[in-house]
Structures are given as structure tokens and as C-alpha cells.
Amino acid sequence: MRVFVTGASGHIGSALVPELLRAGHQVIGLARSDQSAAALEAAGAEAHRGSLDDLDSLRAGAAASDGVIHLAFHHDFSDFLGSVEKDLRAVEAIGDALVGSDRPFVGTSGTLMVAYVEGRLATEEDTLPAGPRIDSENYAIALAERGVRSSVIRLAPLVHSNLDRHGFTSHIIGCARKAGVSAYIGDGANRWPALHTLDAARLYRMALEKAPAGTRLHGIADEGVPFRDIAEVIGRHLDLPTKGISGEQVAEHFGFLAPFAALDDATSSELTQKILDWQPEHQGLLADLEDGHYFVQTQH
């Protein structure tokens, strides 16, 4: 299959490209810079010049493909709603090029967007009518009614591995280093799910190949790691104290992540595992943190 991938040179994309190539697919990666294009070509992919702002380039890349995986997102948290709107326009452009073709389109959302379930694990069947990133998710799912084999993967907020340089895990470690304390909010009992990068790459490939039209999928291995446990491992590796914070301290410590850091986001991937016959195989978040590679990298 000839697969158009946005975000192909990013964190998950850098694992997805070789995953797709090993499975016998051709990869055309969206590249907005010479550096990204060179990295894609060195990995054995074809570079397609363009960006999320260039809707014509997205339509052209999708039209020339047998399937699309949309990973890219403009992570400008100073204008998060603007980034969300840009993502919706991108999904619409890609979808327009695929309507009526029965080709697969795998979009990306996040479990933090639906962290509202109380008393049980959130599942793939939990939905919202509208909201930031939810609009893109719902649009992609609705493409199933227009002749597109669409699916959306809701990723855990902590996708972790030695390929991660700028994800939420790295950000939380950077916040601790900067503040001189590894913090959690309140008692730190709120839970965040996690997934290893290589398991995420395999999930995207399997969704491309066989996810039924209109399917929401969850990229989850650890269903919910208490935030305090995460902070304690980070504090131990950085030789920093660990403590709970509240009020104005939250925004000062966590920066753009402050609105999300207190959410309880315990989430299941049971239905995803059944639908795709996919199971996470790599180590969990706390074991990955204990390996120490995050703390070596953040020193550079």
C-alpha cells in the first residue's frame, strides 16, 4: 500500500515509517523543511513537501495514496484553539480527497480529550458531541458514511521511549528540573495512561490495514499510572524532592500542561485489542523511566 503520513518525521512517525516499510508498504511523508525531507529519504520514505497550513498539499498527498495516517499536530499551546482549528481543516482536506474511495484514513486524537468518565475506565465507546480535537475526531469518524474506511486512534498522553524528545513525559521531567522539585497536584492520585512508542507505531499500522470503518481505537498499555508515582520516579532520578502543589503553583510549575495535569484519565484499550488483535508488547512507563535514558537526554 502507498501510504501518505503526516508527522512522519516526528516522535511516533520516526517509529511508524520503519514499521510500515517492514510490512511491505511504501511511505510518502509530509515534509515542511529540507531537514525533514532528508530524514524521511534516509529512512527509505519519499518526501512530499508541504505543511498543515498548505491544504492543497494535503489533498494532493492523500489523492496520490492508497491510504493516509494523520499524526501531525501543531503543538502551539499559546494558541491551542488555533492549533485545534488548523487540525480540523487538515482532516477536512484529507477527507475530501478520499471520499468515495473506500481507502483507509487513520486520524489521531487523545484520551485527555475525553477524561470525563467517573467510577470506571474510559472506553472506546465514550464520545462527546463537540470540543477541542473532538471535532476533528468526529469528522474523521463521520467519513465512514462517505465511503472512507476511517478510524481514529486516541493516544495516551504519555507516549514514551528513547525516541521521545519533546512529548509530555519529557516536558514533565523538564519542569521538575527547572523548578528543583518533582511535583504532582493535590494528593497525586489522579491517573494518566501511557503507551510505548513502538506499540503505538504497530497500532497505527494495524489500524491502516484492518480497522473497520468508523472505529475509535485507544492507544493504551498502562491504563492509569498515578501521577504521584510518576513524580516520585522522576524525583529519585533527578535527586529532587517530590511534593504536592496547588493553586497558582500549578501553572507556574507545569506551564502549558497545567490545565491537564490534575485530570484523572484512566482509560481502557480492551475493545481495541479485540478489534485489531493488538496487544502492547513493550515495557510500561515506570519501567521505561527507571531505565534512565530520559534523564540523560534532558541534560543535553
Side-chain angles (χ1 to χ4, degrees):
M1 193 182 300
R2 184 174 168 86
V3 187
F4 179 48
V5 180
T6 72
S9 60
H11 168 198
I12 298 174
S14 64
L16 176 60
V17 169
E19 174 75 24
L20 291 170
L21 292 173
R22 283 193 299 268
H25 299 292
Q26 294 177 277
V27 178
I28 306 93
L30 183 70
R32 65 179 180 179
S33 68
D34 291 341
Q35 182 179 3
S36 293
L40 287 170
E41 290 167 356
E46 175 184 334
H48 175 85
R49 295 306 294 263
S51 69
L52 293 184
D53 296 305
D54 186 350
L55 300 184
D56 287 339
S57 74
L58 296 178
R59 292 188 188 96
S65 72
D66 300 313
V68 179
I69 295 177
H70 176 47
L71 281 171
F73 185 81
H74 189 225
H75 288 92
D76 180 5
F77 287 94
S78 66
D79 183 19
F80 180 63
L81 292 181
S83 297
V84 166
E85 181 67 18
K86 182 180 296 187
D87 182 62
L88 178 57
R89 298 286 86 82
V91 170
E92 290 173 342
I94 293 169
D96 287 346
L98 298 177
V99 166
S101 69
D102 291 322
R103 285 177 284 173
F105 172 44
V106 185
T108 300
S109 184
T111 64
L112 284 174
M113 301 301 105
V114 290
Y116 64 94
V117 176
E118 295 183 4
R120 64 172 175 83
L121 295 172
T123 77
E124 295 86 340
E125 295 178 337
D126 293 310
T127 62
L128 288 172
R133 296 211 77 175
I134 297 299
D135 293 336
S136 292
E137 174 183 310
N138 290 343
Y139 188 92
I141 292 299
L143 287 170
E145 301 173 2
R146 301 170 63 196
V148 181
R149 184 164 61 80
S150 61
S151 61
V152 172
I153 294 176
R154 292 172 176 164
L155 284 173
L158 300 176
V159 179
H160 58 90
S161 72
N162 58 8
L163 296 172
D164 175 24
R165 299 293 185 274
H166 306 292
F168 286 177
T169 308
S170 294
H171 177 76
I172 292 169
I173 293 169
C175 290
R177 188 183 296 278
K178 180 179 178 181
V181 62
S182 185
Y184 51 87
I185 298 175
D187 64 2
N190 64 299
R191 298 157 296 173
W192 273 28
L195 180 68
H196 195 280
T197 307
L198 298 181
D199 286 320
R202 188 163 46 88
L203 177 58
Y204 274 95
R205 192 257 300 166
M206 295 177 74
L208 175 84
E209 293 172 346
K210 60 181 182 179
T215 306
R216 289 177 172 88
L217 303 164
H218 279 178
I220 303 294
D222 294 313
E223 293 180 336
V225 183
F227 210 99
R228 180 171 185 160
D229 292 356
I230 299 168
E232 287 176 346
V233 174
I234 292 171
R236 187 166 64 254
H237 278 268
L238 295 180
D239 195 23
L240 294 175
T242 303
K243 71 174 185 178
I245 59 175
S246 61
E248 294 179 356
Q249 294 175 297
V250 175
E252 181 180 356
H253 184 93
F254 288 106
F256 73 82
L257 205 56
F260 308 105
L263 291 176
D264 190 42
D265 188 33
T267 307
S268 168
S269 63
E270 182 178 353
L271 291 177
T272 297
Q273 295 188 41
K274 289 180 179 178
I275 290 169
L276 296 182
D277 192 25
W278 166 83
Q279 293 84 32
E281 298 176 349
H282 295 273
Q283 65 183 352
L285 172 67
L286 296 182
D288 199 15
L289 287 171
E290 293 286 15
D291 276 354
H293 61 83
Y294 269 104
F295 307 99
V296 172
Q297 292 172 356
T298 54
Q299 293 174 356
H300 294 292

